[in-house]
Amino acid sequence: MVAMAARPFSVLFIAPGGVSEAVLASGLLKKLHDEAPNSRFTIVANRRVAPLYADMPKVDRVLITERKGSARRWFGLLGPMRARRWSLVVDMPSRVIAGRLRPKGRPLRHDDEEPAHRLIEAARLMRLEDDPPSPYIFVSEATEAAAAALTAGAGPILAIAPTADWVGKAWPIERFAEVARRLRAPGAALAGARVMILGEKSDAHEVEPVRGAAPRDLIIDLVGKTDLLTTFAVLQHARLFIGNDTGIAQLAAAAGAPTLALFGPSDDRIWRPWGEHVRVVRGARNLDEIRKVDSTLSAQVRHMIDLSAESVMSAAEALLEETAAGARP
């Protein structure tokens, strides 16, 4: 008697629209990949985050959409997928899960509780908040080889992502450059280090001061030159990452790089990068004090101006000392 092949467990995963949320929710996909029987994935994502899923096994399709809002608003536009019977649907933008593995009940957070980290919120969809899966990005041998080529050379790498999508969250570029110069100076914690600069293509002119923080042959300028998956892969080679509260900081922590995240007008209880070796540095004002002058957190004001280079330098040195035993060669 010929055994019947097990029926595939089909998963439709609608990815978050933001990079930070996509990285923080990536552990759920890893959990399903490892534990769901005969799983096959269809992933719907916007063009920005879609590369994160390019190397994931068991993926049949990655569908690109630029439509905003939850999947229920545009599901009918996805053609034959509308009629397909999915074993599991995970709609991250609208926090909806449906299918055979749908957990019973849904834990609620009361308004008087502390804000939950966004990774915990994602884990609650599958009742995993007591043991939330850490971010996990699948990387192929080809991607690893490309990252190795981009980072080839001698000496440790100081990775810096000095820009942000809002001026309020951006620490002054000149201070990033100052810290880079001081960290790689003779006798300093990262003496002679190479400086890897990360960012969007539109940031190319803005990051110029950081390019001057090291000799040209020791600058790895990847601004606008890598997608998110390759960015993750090159960050696996970094000895230290310093950056604003952005998706790249989340990628750095997920990659295992010691990560120094600079926060101002955002809540690090919710958005702190998730990883073993992560430190957060804030300026003199807390979030409530910043809200007093910018209640909607949208004004074109440099809220990070009160974070000194000395504070970031001290935190970077402490993190380097803390992680020295497991340092990358």
Side-chain angles (χ1 to χ4, degrees):
M1 183 175 179
V2 178
M4 296 292 291
R7 182 180 178 182
F9 188 88
S10 58
V11 179
L12 175 62
F13 183 85
I14 295 93
V19 177
S20 291
E21 289 183 292
V23 174
L24 292 171
S26 62
L28 294 181
L29 276 174
K30 168 68 170 169
K31 185 83 169 176
L32 288 168
H33 171 275
D34 291 349
E35 299 184 9
N38 305 303
S39 55
R40 302 297 306 179
F41 295 85
T42 294
I43 297 174
V44 180
N46 64 35
R47 197 169 301 280
R48 175 77 170 121
V49 305
L52 290 175
Y53 313 108
D55 287 350
M56 180 177 169
K58 303 183 182 179
V59 172
D60 293 327
R61 301 174 70 187
V62 177
L63 298 175
I64 308 296
T65 177
E66 299 302 333
R67 288 190 172 271
K68 298 181 179 180
S70 76
R72 288 179 292 177
R73 295 184 184 178
W74 46 261
F75 200 55
L77 299 177
L78 298 181
M81 288 192 1
R82 184 180 185 187
R84 182 171 174 178
R85 296 187 64 180
W86 299 95
S87 303
L88 185 69
V89 176
V90 181
D91 181 355
M92 294 302 302
S94 58
R95 301 289 193 269
V96 171
I97 185 168
R100 297 207 303 268
L101 286 186
R102 182 182 185 275
K104 302 298 182 183
R106 181 169 144 184
L108 300 176
R109 178 173 65 84
H110 299 289
D111 291 339
D112 58 351
E113 291 182 4
E114 284 290 307
H117 193 282
R118 193 52 59 93
L119 183 141
I120 303 296
E121 290 284 357
R124 281 176 174 167
L125 278 175
M126 297 185 65
R127 298 299 294 271
L128 296 171
E129 64 270 26
D130 292 333
D131 186 21
S134 295
Y136 188 94
I137 309 297
F138 290 91
V139 178
S140 67
E141 290 183 2
T143 300
E144 288 179 345
L150 288 170
T151 57
I157 294 175
L158 169 60
I160 294 180
T163 61
D165 57 5
W166 170 42
V167 66
K169 292 172 65 174
W171 197 46
I173 292 282
E174 295 76 13
R175 295 184 193 177
F176 276 106
E178 177 186 345
V179 168
R181 284 193 295 269
R182 292 173 63 181
L183 281 174
R184 61 176 313 281
L190 283 179
R194 295 174 288 159
V195 178
M196 181 165 66
I197 313 173
L198 300 163
E200 302 286 345
K201 185 177 181 179
S202 58
D203 301 327
H205 177 71
E206 188 177 355
V207 304
E208 190 60 37
V210 182
R211 292 192 183 101
R216 182 173 298 182
D217 62 335
L218 296 180
I219 293 290
I220 305 172
D221 187 354
L222 299 182
V223 177
K225 299 175 183 176
T226 57
D227 61 20
L228 291 178
L229 184 62
T230 309
T231 297
F232 171 82
V234 297
L235 283 166
Q236 292 180 310
H237 296 262
R239 176 63 183 91
L240 176 68
F241 169 85
I242 305 176
N244 299 309
D245 168 29
T246 66
I248 299 180
Q250 301 290 347
L251 285 171
T259 298
L260 185 59
L262 314 184
F263 274 73
S266 50
D267 196 335
D268 54 280
R269 294 173 299 177
I270 298 173
W271 294 109
R272 176 190 179 96
W274 191 277
E276 183 179 0
H277 300 299
V278 174
R279 285 185 178 233
V280 167
V281 183
R282 302 190 65 96
R285 295 175 299 161
N286 61 34
L287 183 58
D288 289 337
E289 290 171 325
I290 292 174
R291 284 187 183 276
K292 289 179 181 178
V293 297
D294 183 8
S295 60
T296 61
L297 298 180
S298 59
Q300 297 303 302
V301 176
R302 291 188 175 274
H303 291 303
M304 302 285 287
I305 199 74
D306 61 351
L307 175 58
S308 68
E310 195 60 47
S311 294
V312 174
M313 185 71 186
S314 296
E317 291 174 330
L319 184 55
L320 286 166
E321 182 177 359
E322 175 187 309
T323 56
R328 295 170 170 84

